[in-house]
Amino acid sequence: VLDLTKPWLNRQFIDPNRAVQTHLMAAQLYSAIENESEAENHLKRANSYKPTKTELVEALRQVNLMLTNRNVLSTGTGFLISEAGYVMTNNHVIEGEGKVVVRIPGQPDPVPAEVIARDEMRDMALLKLTIPEGANLTPVAIVDSSVGRGASVAAFGFPLGDALGTGLKFTTGFVSTPPEGTDNNMILLDMRVNPGNSGGPLVDSSGNVVGMITAKTGGFGVDSYGFALPTSDLIKFVDTHLPADAARPAPEPEATTTAWDKVDKRVSPGVLMILKLDE
């Protein structure tokens, strides 16, 4: 059967739906006998067509997503705190086996990152990367601020990795309880938080970082809340481990009104996907 598929690599199909279906079938057959080279050849041919059937468009998307992430062990979020290339994230995002890399918008390949410091108890880590020339990144400011119950806040991150698309995700909510009102000294949030959000910034209506998304409540039948580390932890950690010559951005002036679209423009160039790759 596979011998019969060889001419298909050099044949141009008139019907794009039949082309995609045929090449995906051939790729599946080659994968079954562990001939990955030929399987990838057929996947490349499948990607050269634009199917019109919804199920084939989705099948092609899922296959490409699987190929892109085949060596990805886990994903999370981080945020740039200095133009010198220092990034804050959770320790649980970068711990364990694998190579730590950062995905930068507009760059073809992820950039390696070095773990500079970590705090396992409070789940914090500081990374250092070399920012590629031409990258449009802007660090965000961590402010020494205590957000109170009812404060409007927003979270930036990459929930569920690439399952919802590769773009940055934005979610708003409220502070349910400040740190002193919780057992773990974290900010309790009435906000949607999912795996992949970890390490992302929690910002106020001015676009300043007031916490770092770290966890969520769980359990059967639980309507989940989010947890964020307060800036009292973040600032102490950064003051200890960030080199003195690594400039930090000045906080944004306090906003008189909440304009989340402006906050998004201010914050999003500083939020990055963190990946652990199987080396």
PDB file of all heavy atoms in Angstrom, residues 8-9 11-27 41-53 56 60:
ATOM      1  N   TRP A   8       2.338  10.083  -5.149  1.00  0.00           N
ATOM      2  CA  TRP A   8       1.511  11.191  -4.669  1.00  0.00           C
ATOM      3  C   TRP A   8       2.356  12.399  -4.255  1.00  0.00           C
ATOM      4  O   TRP A   8       1.883  13.528  -4.272  1.00  0.00           O
ATOM      5  CB  TRP A   8       0.651  10.740  -3.474  1.00  0.00           C
ATOM      6  CG  TRP A   8      -0.322   9.664  -3.803  1.00  0.00           C
ATOM      7  CD1 TRP A   8      -0.675   9.225  -5.040  1.00  0.00           C
ATOM      8  CD2 TRP A   8      -1.060   8.879  -2.874  1.00  0.00           C
ATOM      9  NE1 TRP A   8      -1.602   8.211  -4.945  1.00  0.00           N
ATOM     10  CE2 TRP A   8      -1.851   7.979  -3.622  1.00  0.00           C
ATOM     11  CE3 TRP A   8      -1.143   8.843  -1.496  1.00  0.00           C
ATOM     12  CZ2 TRP A   8      -2.696   7.072  -3.029  1.00  0.00           C
ATOM     13  CZ3 TRP A   8      -1.990   7.939  -0.893  1.00  0.00           C
ATOM     14  CH2 TRP A   8      -2.770   7.055  -1.657  1.00  0.00           C
ATOM     15  N   LEU A   9       3.602  12.149  -3.872  1.00  0.00           N
ATOM     16  CA  LEU A   9       4.439  13.264  -3.444  1.00  0.00           C
ATOM     17  C   LEU A   9       4.765  14.211  -4.593  1.00  0.00           C
ATOM     18  O   LEU A   9       5.060  15.383  -4.380  1.00  0.00           O
ATOM     19  CB  LEU A   9       5.743  12.739  -2.818  1.00  0.00           C
ATOM     20  CG  LEU A   9       5.608  12.092  -1.436  1.00  0.00           C
ATOM     21  CD1 LEU A   9       6.929  11.480  -1.008  1.00  0.00           C
ATOM     22  CD2 LEU A   9       5.161  13.135  -0.410  1.00  0.00           C
ATOM     23  N   ARG A  11       2.654  14.510  -7.317  1.00  0.00           N
ATOM     24  CA  ARG A  11       1.419  14.702  -8.084  1.00  0.00           C
ATOM     25  C   ARG A  11       0.611  15.854  -7.489  1.00  0.00           C
ATOM     26  O   ARG A  11       0.466  15.944  -6.268  1.00  0.00           O
ATOM     27  CB  ARG A  11       0.603  13.413  -8.071  1.00  0.00           C
ATOM     28  CG  ARG A  11      -0.642  13.436  -8.931  1.00  0.00           C
ATOM     29  CD  ARG A  11      -1.302  12.074  -8.925  1.00  0.00           C
ATOM     30  NE  ARG A  11      -0.444  11.060  -9.562  1.00  0.00           N
ATOM     31  CZ  ARG A  11      -0.628   9.759  -9.443  1.00  0.00           C
ATOM     32  NH1 ARG A  11      -1.616   9.298  -8.689  1.00  0.00           N
ATOM     33  NH2 ARG A  11       0.175   8.917 -10.051  1.00  0.00           N
ATOM     34  N   GLN A  12       0.123  16.723  -8.349  1.00  0.00           N
ATOM     35  CA  GLN A  12      -0.690  17.850  -7.886  1.00  0.00           C
ATOM     36  C   GLN A  12      -2.163  17.483  -7.974  1.00  0.00           C
ATOM     37  O   GLN A  12      -2.682  17.229  -9.063  1.00  0.00           O
ATOM     38  CB  GLN A  12      -0.404  19.091  -8.729  1.00  0.00           C
ATOM     39  CG  GLN A  12      -1.103  20.353  -8.239  1.00  0.00           C
ATOM     40  CD  GLN A  12      -0.556  20.842  -6.910  1.00  0.00           C
ATOM     41  OE1 GLN A  12       0.605  20.599  -6.581  1.00  0.00           O
ATOM     42  NE2 GLN A  12      -1.390  21.505  -6.127  1.00  0.00           N
ATOM     43  N   PHE A  13      -2.838  17.473  -6.847  1.00  0.00           N
ATOM     44  CA  PHE A  13      -4.257  17.147  -6.817  1.00  0.00           C
ATOM     45  C   PHE A  13      -5.089  18.355  -7.231  1.00  0.00           C
ATOM     46  O   PHE A  13      -4.756  19.492  -6.891  1.00  0.00           O
ATOM     47  CB  PHE A  13      -4.678  16.716  -5.407  1.00  0.00           C
ATOM     48  CG  PHE A  13      -4.273  15.326  -5.039  1.00  0.00           C
ATOM     49  CD1 PHE A  13      -2.959  15.036  -4.668  1.00  0.00           C
ATOM     50  CD2 PHE A  13      -5.193  14.285  -5.047  1.00  0.00           C
ATOM     51  CE1 PHE A  13      -2.588  13.756  -4.316  1.00  0.00           C
ATOM     52  CE2 PHE A  13      -4.829  12.992  -4.696  1.00  0.00           C
ATOM     53  CZ  PHE A  13      -3.526  12.733  -4.336  1.00  0.00           C
ATOM     54  N   ILE A  14      -6.163  18.119  -7.954  1.00  0.00           N
ATOM     55  CA  ILE A  14      -7.083  19.188  -8.318  1.00  0.00           C
ATOM     56  C   ILE A  14      -7.969  19.543  -7.125  1.00  0.00           C
ATOM     57  O   ILE A  14      -8.240  20.710  -6.852  1.00  0.00           O
ATOM     58  CB  ILE A  14      -7.945  18.766  -9.529  1.00  0.00           C
ATOM     59  CG1 ILE A  14      -7.049  18.555 -10.751  1.00  0.00           C
ATOM     60  CG2 ILE A  14      -9.016  19.814  -9.823  1.00  0.00           C
ATOM     61  CD1 ILE A  14      -7.792  18.005 -11.960  1.00  0.00           C
ATOM     62  N   ASP A  15      -8.413  18.518  -6.416  1.00  0.00           N
ATOM     63  CA  ASP A  15      -9.298  18.702  -5.263  1.00  0.00           C
ATOM     64  C   ASP A  15      -8.444  18.828  -3.996  1.00  0.00           C
ATOM     65  O   ASP A  15      -7.817  17.853  -3.573  1.00  0.00           O
ATOM     66  CB  ASP A  15     -10.242  17.500  -5.155  1.00  0.00           C
ATOM     67  CG  ASP A  15     -11.250  17.647  -4.022  1.00  0.00           C
ATOM     68  OD1 ASP A  15     -11.087  18.559  -3.183  1.00  0.00           O
ATOM     69  OD2 ASP A  15     -12.196  16.847  -3.970  1.00  0.00           O
ATOM     70  N   PRO A  16      -8.405  20.002  -3.336  1.00  0.00           N
ATOM     71  CA  PRO A  16      -7.565  20.167  -2.141  1.00  0.00           C
ATOM     72  C   PRO A  16      -8.012  19.297  -0.970  1.00  0.00           C
ATOM     73  O   PRO A  16      -7.198  18.857  -0.168  1.00  0.00           O
ATOM     74  CB  PRO A  16      -7.702  21.654  -1.810  1.00  0.00           C
ATOM     75  CG  PRO A  16      -8.994  22.069  -2.431  1.00  0.00           C
ATOM     76  CD  PRO A  16      -9.127  21.244  -3.663  1.00  0.00           C
ATOM     77  N   ASN A  17      -9.313  19.023  -0.883  1.00  0.00           N
ATOM     78  CA  ASN A  17      -9.792  18.173   0.205  1.00  0.00           C
ATOM     79  C   ASN A  17      -9.280  16.742   0.044  1.00  0.00           C
ATOM     80  O   ASN A  17      -8.828  16.119   1.002  1.00  0.00           O
ATOM     81  CB  ASN A  17     -11.323  18.181   0.251  1.00  0.00           C
ATOM     82  CG  ASN A  17     -11.875  19.547   0.607  1.00  0.00           C
ATOM     83  OD1 ASN A  17     -11.356  20.218   1.496  1.00  0.00           O
ATOM     84  ND2 ASN A  17     -12.915  19.964  -0.081  1.00  0.00           N
ATOM     85  N   ARG A  18      -9.354  16.229  -1.182  1.00  0.00           N
ATOM     86  CA  ARG A  18      -8.850  14.879  -1.437  1.00  0.00           C
ATOM     87  C   ARG A  18      -7.330  14.830  -1.210  1.00  0.00           C
ATOM     88  O   ARG A  18      -6.811  13.840  -0.704  1.00  0.00           O
ATOM     89  CB  ARG A  18      -9.196  14.446  -2.861  1.00  0.00           C
ATOM     90  CG  ARG A  18      -8.677  13.048  -3.210  1.00  0.00           C
ATOM     91  CD  ARG A  18      -9.236  12.548  -4.525  1.00  0.00           C
ATOM     92  NE  ARG A  18     -10.667  12.300  -4.421  1.00  0.00           N
ATOM     93  CZ  ARG A  18     -11.417  11.857  -5.420  1.00  0.00           C
ATOM     94  NH1 ARG A  18     -10.874  11.627  -6.599  1.00  0.00           N
ATOM     95  NH2 ARG A  18     -12.706  11.636  -5.264  1.00  0.00           N
ATOM     96  N   ALA A  19      -6.647  15.910  -1.587  1.00  0.00           N
ATOM     97  CA  ALA A  19      -5.197  15.958  -1.404  1.00  0.00           C
ATOM     98  C   ALA A  19      -4.824  15.846   0.071  1.00  0.00           C
ATOM     99  O   ALA A  19      -3.971  15.036   0.455  1.00  0.00           O
ATOM    100  CB  ALA A  19      -4.642  17.251  -1.997  1.00  0.00           C
ATOM    101  N   VAL A  20      -5.456  16.649   0.894  1.00  0.00           N
ATOM    102  CA  VAL A  20      -5.140  16.647   2.331  1.00  0.00           C
ATOM    103  C   VAL A  20      -5.490  15.303   2.942  1.00  0.00           C
ATOM    104  O   VAL A  20      -4.721  14.728   3.716  1.00  0.00           O
ATOM    105  CB  VAL A  20      -5.885  17.802   3.041  1.00  0.00           C
ATOM    106  CG1 VAL A  20      -5.760  17.657   4.551  1.00  0.00           C
ATOM    107  CG2 VAL A  20      -5.335  19.142   2.584  1.00  0.00           C
ATOM    108  N   GLN A  21      -6.651  14.782   2.606  1.00  0.00           N
ATOM    109  CA  GLN A  21      -7.080  13.494   3.154  1.00  0.00           C
ATOM    110  C   GLN A  21      -6.109  12.382   2.760  1.00  0.00           C
ATOM    111  O   GLN A  21      -5.739  11.537   3.583  1.00  0.00           O
ATOM    112  CB  GLN A  21      -8.490  13.186   2.648  1.00  0.00           C
ATOM    113  CG  GLN A  21      -9.180  12.051   3.394  1.00  0.00           C
ATOM    114  CD  GLN A  21     -10.655  11.972   3.035  1.00  0.00           C
ATOM    115  OE1 GLN A  21     -11.052  12.370   1.943  1.00  0.00           O
ATOM    116  NE2 GLN A  21     -11.460  11.471   3.951  1.00  0.00           N
ATOM    117  N   THR A  22      -5.675  12.381   1.497  1.00  0.00           N
ATOM    118  CA  THR A  22      -4.763  11.356   1.000  1.00  0.00           C
ATOM    119  C   THR A  22      -3.405  11.439   1.687  1.00  0.00           C
ATOM    120  O   THR A  22      -2.854  10.433   2.152  1.00  0.00           O
ATOM    121  CB  THR A  22      -4.573  11.500  -0.518  1.00  0.00           C
ATOM    122  OG1 THR A  22      -5.840  11.334  -1.160  1.00  0.00           O
ATOM    123  CG2 THR A  22      -3.600  10.462  -1.049  1.00  0.00           C
ATOM    124  N   HIS A  23      -2.831  12.642   1.783  1.00  0.00           N
ATOM    125  CA  HIS A  23      -1.506  12.796   2.380  1.00  0.00           C
ATOM    126  C   HIS A  23      -1.521  12.536   3.890  1.00  0.00           C
ATOM    127  O   HIS A  23      -0.571  11.974   4.435  1.00  0.00           O
ATOM    128  CB  HIS A  23      -0.951  14.184   2.078  1.00  0.00           C
ATOM    129  CG  HIS A  23      -0.467  14.337   0.664  1.00  0.00           C
ATOM    130  ND1 HIS A  23       0.581  13.594   0.157  1.00  0.00           N
ATOM    131  CD2 HIS A  23      -0.888  15.125  -0.356  1.00  0.00           C
ATOM    132  CE1 HIS A  23       0.798  13.932  -1.107  1.00  0.00           C
ATOM    133  NE2 HIS A  23      -0.093  14.846  -1.447  1.00  0.00           N
ATOM    134  N   LEU A  24      -2.600  12.921   4.550  1.00  0.00           N
ATOM    135  CA  LEU A  24      -2.701  12.618   5.981  1.00  0.00           C
ATOM    136  C   LEU A  24      -2.799  11.114   6.208  1.00  0.00           C
ATOM    137  O   LEU A  24      -2.214  10.575   7.161  1.00  0.00           O
ATOM    138  CB  LEU A  24      -3.905  13.335   6.600  1.00  0.00           C
ATOM    139  CG  LEU A  24      -3.791  14.848   6.786  1.00  0.00           C
ATOM    140  CD1 LEU A  24      -5.076  15.395   7.413  1.00  0.00           C
ATOM    141  CD2 LEU A  24      -2.601  15.202   7.653  1.00  0.00           C
ATOM    142  N   MET A  25      -3.547  10.418   5.360  1.00  0.00           N
ATOM    143  CA  MET A  25      -3.646   8.965   5.470  1.00  0.00           C
ATOM    144  C   MET A  25      -2.284   8.312   5.255  1.00  0.00           C
ATOM    145  O   MET A  25      -1.876   7.415   6.006  1.00  0.00           O
ATOM    146  CB  MET A  25      -4.646   8.428   4.447  1.00  0.00           C
ATOM    147  CG  MET A  25      -4.827   6.905   4.504  1.00  0.00           C
ATOM    148  SD  MET A  25      -5.907   6.316   3.173  1.00  0.00           S
ATOM    149  CE  MET A  25      -4.862   6.611   1.744  1.00  0.00           C
ATOM    150  N   ALA A  26      -1.550   8.787   4.230  1.00  0.00           N
ATOM    151  CA  ALA A  26      -0.224   8.234   3.962  1.00  0.00           C
ATOM    152  C   ALA A  26       0.722   8.497   5.132  1.00  0.00           C
ATOM    153  O   ALA A  26       1.508   7.625   5.522  1.00  0.00           O
ATOM    154  CB  ALA A  26       0.342   8.826   2.677  1.00  0.00           C
ATOM    155  N   ALA A  27       0.649   9.715   5.699  1.00  0.00           N
ATOM    156  CA  ALA A  27       1.503  10.046   6.844  1.00  0.00           C
ATOM    157  C   ALA A  27       1.206   9.140   8.028  1.00  0.00           C
ATOM    158  O   ALA A  27       2.115   8.692   8.736  1.00  0.00           O
ATOM    159  CB  ALA A  27       1.293  11.507   7.233  1.00  0.00           C
ATOM    160  N   ASN A  41       7.272  13.969   4.917  1.00  0.00           N
ATOM    161  CA  ASN A  41       7.149  14.382   3.520  1.00  0.00           C
ATOM    162  C   ASN A  41       5.687  14.543   3.117  1.00  0.00           C
ATOM    163  O   ASN A  41       5.301  15.504   2.445  1.00  0.00           O
ATOM    164  CB  ASN A  41       7.831  13.361   2.606  1.00  0.00           C
ATOM    165  CG  ASN A  41       9.336  13.469   2.642  1.00  0.00           C
ATOM    166  OD1 ASN A  41       9.882  14.526   2.955  1.00  0.00           O
ATOM    167  ND2 ASN A  41      10.024  12.378   2.338  1.00  0.00           N
ATOM    168  N   HIS A  42       4.861  13.596   3.548  1.00  0.00           N
ATOM    169  CA  HIS A  42       3.440  13.667   3.210  1.00  0.00           C
ATOM    170  C   HIS A  42       2.738  14.798   3.980  1.00  0.00           C
ATOM    171  O   HIS A  42       1.821  15.434   3.451  1.00  0.00           O
ATOM    172  CB  HIS A  42       2.757  12.331   3.480  1.00  0.00           C
ATOM    173  CG  HIS A  42       2.985  11.326   2.393  1.00  0.00           C
ATOM    174  ND1 HIS A  42       2.300  11.356   1.203  1.00  0.00           N
ATOM    175  CD2 HIS A  42       3.848  10.277   2.301  1.00  0.00           C
ATOM    176  CE1 HIS A  42       2.706  10.367   0.425  1.00  0.00           C
ATOM    177  NE2 HIS A  42       3.655   9.690   1.065  1.00  0.00           N
ATOM    178  N   LEU A  43       3.195  15.051   5.208  1.00  0.00           N
ATOM    179  CA  LEU A  43       2.598  16.159   5.959  1.00  0.00           C
ATOM    180  C   LEU A  43       2.938  17.499   5.316  1.00  0.00           C
ATOM    181  O   LEU A  43       2.118  18.419   5.298  1.00  0.00           O
ATOM    182  CB  LEU A  43       3.083  16.120   7.412  1.00  0.00           C
ATOM    183  CG  LEU A  43       2.520  14.969   8.247  1.00  0.00           C
ATOM    184  CD1 LEU A  43       3.160  14.960   9.625  1.00  0.00           C
ATOM    185  CD2 LEU A  43       1.000  15.078   8.372  1.00  0.00           C
ATOM    186  N   LYS A  44       4.146  17.611   4.779  1.00  0.00           N
ATOM    187  CA  LYS A  44       4.517  18.838   4.075  1.00  0.00           C
ATOM    188  C   LYS A  44       3.629  19.039   2.843  1.00  0.00           C
ATOM    189  O   LYS A  44       3.203  20.156   2.545  1.00  0.00           O
ATOM    190  CB  LYS A  44       5.987  18.778   3.663  1.00  0.00           C
ATOM    191  CG  LYS A  44       6.963  18.910   4.822  1.00  0.00           C
ATOM    192  CD  LYS A  44       8.399  18.787   4.334  1.00  0.00           C
ATOM    193  CE  LYS A  44       9.372  18.881   5.500  1.00  0.00           C
ATOM    194  NZ  LYS A  44      10.783  18.694   5.052  1.00  0.00           N
ATOM    195  N   ARG A  45       3.370  17.950   2.129  1.00  0.00           N
ATOM    196  CA  ARG A  45       2.500  18.040   0.952  1.00  0.00           C
ATOM    197  C   ARG A  45       1.070  18.394   1.371  1.00  0.00           C
ATOM    198  O   ARG A  45       0.397  19.171   0.692  1.00  0.00           O
ATOM    199  CB  ARG A  45       2.523  16.720   0.179  1.00  0.00           C
ATOM    200  CG  ARG A  45       3.831  16.418  -0.494  1.00  0.00           C
ATOM    201  CD  ARG A  45       4.095  17.375  -1.656  1.00  0.00           C
ATOM    202  NE  ARG A  45       3.235  17.079  -2.785  1.00  0.00           N
ATOM    203  CZ  ARG A  45       2.616  17.996  -3.520  1.00  0.00           C
ATOM    204  NH1 ARG A  45       2.738  19.263  -3.222  1.00  0.00           N
ATOM    205  NH2 ARG A  45       1.858  17.644  -4.549  1.00  0.00           N
ATOM    206  N   ALA A  46       0.611  17.825   2.470  1.00  0.00           N
ATOM    207  CA  ALA A  46      -0.735  18.153   2.960  1.00  0.00           C
ATOM    208  C   ALA A  46      -0.840  19.643   3.266  1.00  0.00           C
ATOM    209  O   ALA A  46      -1.858  20.289   2.980  1.00  0.00           O
ATOM    210  CB  ALA A  46      -1.060  17.324   4.198  1.00  0.00           C
ATOM    211  N   ASN A  47       0.230  20.207   3.826  1.00  0.00           N
ATOM    212  CA  ASN A  47       0.225  21.625   4.182  1.00  0.00           C
ATOM    213  C   ASN A  47       0.336  22.552   2.985  1.00  0.00           C
ATOM    214  O   ASN A  47       0.163  23.768   3.115  1.00  0.00           O
ATOM    215  CB  ASN A  47       1.369  21.917   5.157  1.00  0.00           C
ATOM    216  CG  ASN A  47       1.006  21.578   6.584  1.00  0.00           C
ATOM    217  OD1 ASN A  47       0.074  22.143   7.132  1.00  0.00           O
ATOM    218  ND2 ASN A  47       1.726  20.654   7.193  1.00  0.00           N
ATOM    219  N   SER A  48       0.621  21.996   1.826  1.00  0.00           N
ATOM    220  CA  SER A  48       0.708  22.835   0.627  1.00  0.00           C
ATOM    221  C   SER A  48      -0.666  23.110   0.025  1.00  0.00           C
ATOM    222  O   SER A  48      -0.780  23.892  -0.917  1.00  0.00           O
ATOM    223  CB  SER A  48       1.621  22.172  -0.417  1.00  0.00           C
ATOM    224  OG  SER A  48       1.019  21.008  -0.958  1.00  0.00           O
ATOM    225  N   TYR A  49      -1.701  22.468   0.572  1.00  0.00           N
ATOM    226  CA  TYR A  49      -3.066  22.665   0.087  1.00  0.00           C
ATOM    227  C   TYR A  49      -3.900  23.410   1.138  1.00  0.00           C
ATOM    228  O   TYR A  49      -3.571  23.411   2.332  1.00  0.00           O
ATOM    229  CB  TYR A  49      -3.740  21.320  -0.204  1.00  0.00           C
ATOM    230  CG  TYR A  49      -3.122  20.541  -1.343  1.00  0.00           C
ATOM    231  CD1 TYR A  49      -2.089  19.629  -1.109  1.00  0.00           C
ATOM    232  CD2 TYR A  49      -3.571  20.702  -2.651  1.00  0.00           C
ATOM    233  CE1 TYR A  49      -1.518  18.903  -2.154  1.00  0.00           C
ATOM    234  CE2 TYR A  49      -3.014  19.977  -3.700  1.00  0.00           C
ATOM    235  CZ  TYR A  49      -1.986  19.085  -3.436  1.00  0.00           C
ATOM    236  OH  TYR A  49      -1.429  18.377  -4.475  1.00  0.00           O
ATOM    237  N   LYS A  50      -4.993  23.994   0.668  1.00  0.00           N
ATOM    238  CA  LYS A  50      -5.922  24.672   1.558  1.00  0.00           C
ATOM    239  C   LYS A  50      -7.288  24.000   1.447  1.00  0.00           C
ATOM    240  O   LYS A  50      -8.085  24.327   0.558  1.00  0.00           O
ATOM    241  CB  LYS A  50      -6.031  26.154   1.204  1.00  0.00           C
ATOM    242  CG  LYS A  50      -4.746  26.929   1.448  1.00  0.00           C
ATOM    243  CD  LYS A  50      -4.921  28.414   1.156  1.00  0.00           C
ATOM    244  CE  LYS A  50      -3.641  29.180   1.440  1.00  0.00           C
ATOM    245  NZ  LYS A  50      -3.795  30.637   1.149  1.00  0.00           N
ATOM    246  N   PRO A  51      -7.560  23.060   2.354  1.00  0.00           N
ATOM    247  CA  PRO A  51      -8.838  22.349   2.275  1.00  0.00           C
ATOM    248  C   PRO A  51     -10.015  23.273   2.597  1.00  0.00           C
ATOM    249  O   PRO A  51      -9.871  24.266   3.306  1.00  0.00           O
ATOM    250  CB  PRO A  51      -8.685  21.252   3.340  1.00  0.00           C
ATOM    251  CG  PRO A  51      -7.693  21.818   4.313  1.00  0.00           C
ATOM    252  CD  PRO A  51      -6.740  22.629   3.481  1.00  0.00           C
ATOM    253  N   THR A  52     -11.176  22.917   2.073  1.00  0.00           N
ATOM    254  CA  THR A  52     -12.383  23.699   2.320  1.00  0.00           C
ATOM    255  C   THR A  52     -13.296  23.043   3.355  1.00  0.00           C
ATOM    256  O   THR A  52     -14.159  23.707   3.926  1.00  0.00           O
ATOM    257  CB  THR A  52     -13.172  23.894   1.015  1.00  0.00           C
ATOM    258  OG1 THR A  52     -13.512  22.612   0.467  1.00  0.00           O
ATOM    259  CG2 THR A  52     -12.341  24.673  -0.002  1.00  0.00           C
ATOM    260  N   LYS A  53     -13.113  21.750   3.594  1.00  0.00           N
ATOM    261  CA  LYS A  53     -13.931  21.053   4.594  1.00  0.00           C
ATOM    262  C   LYS A  53     -13.416  21.369   5.997  1.00  0.00           C
ATOM    263  O   LYS A  53     -12.227  21.257   6.271  1.00  0.00           O
ATOM    264  CB  LYS A  53     -13.892  19.543   4.358  1.00  0.00           C
ATOM    265  CG  LYS A  53     -14.635  19.094   3.108  1.00  0.00           C
ATOM    266  CD  LYS A  53     -14.671  17.575   3.010  1.00  0.00           C
ATOM    267  CE  LYS A  53     -15.495  17.114   1.813  1.00  0.00           C
ATOM    268  NZ  LYS A  53     -15.530  15.639   1.707  1.00  0.00           N
ATOM    269  N   LEU A  56     -11.293  18.768   7.818  1.00  0.00           N
ATOM    270  CA  LEU A  56      -9.927  18.618   7.315  1.00  0.00           C
ATOM    271  C   LEU A  56      -9.055  19.794   7.736  1.00  0.00           C
ATOM    272  O   LEU A  56      -7.862  19.629   8.020  1.00  0.00           O
ATOM    273  CB  LEU A  56      -9.932  18.476   5.801  1.00  0.00           C
ATOM    274  CG  LEU A  56     -10.516  17.163   5.261  1.00  0.00           C
ATOM    275  CD1 LEU A  56     -10.542  17.181   3.733  1.00  0.00           C
ATOM    276  CD2 LEU A  56      -9.698  15.971   5.757  1.00  0.00           C
ATOM    277  N   LEU A  60      -5.762  19.129   9.995  1.00  0.00           N
ATOM    278  CA  LEU A  60      -4.455  19.651   9.608  1.00  0.00           C
ATOM    279  C   LEU A  60      -3.886  20.531  10.716  1.00  0.00           C
ATOM    280  O   LEU A  60      -2.681  20.468  11.018  1.00  0.00           O
ATOM    281  CB  LEU A  60      -4.597  20.450   8.308  1.00  0.00           C
ATOM    282  CG  LEU A  60      -3.347  20.623   7.441  1.00  0.00           C
ATOM    283  CD1 LEU A  60      -2.718  19.281   7.096  1.00  0.00           C
ATOM    284  CD2 LEU A  60      -3.683  21.391   6.177  1.00  0.00           C
TER     285      LEU A  60
END
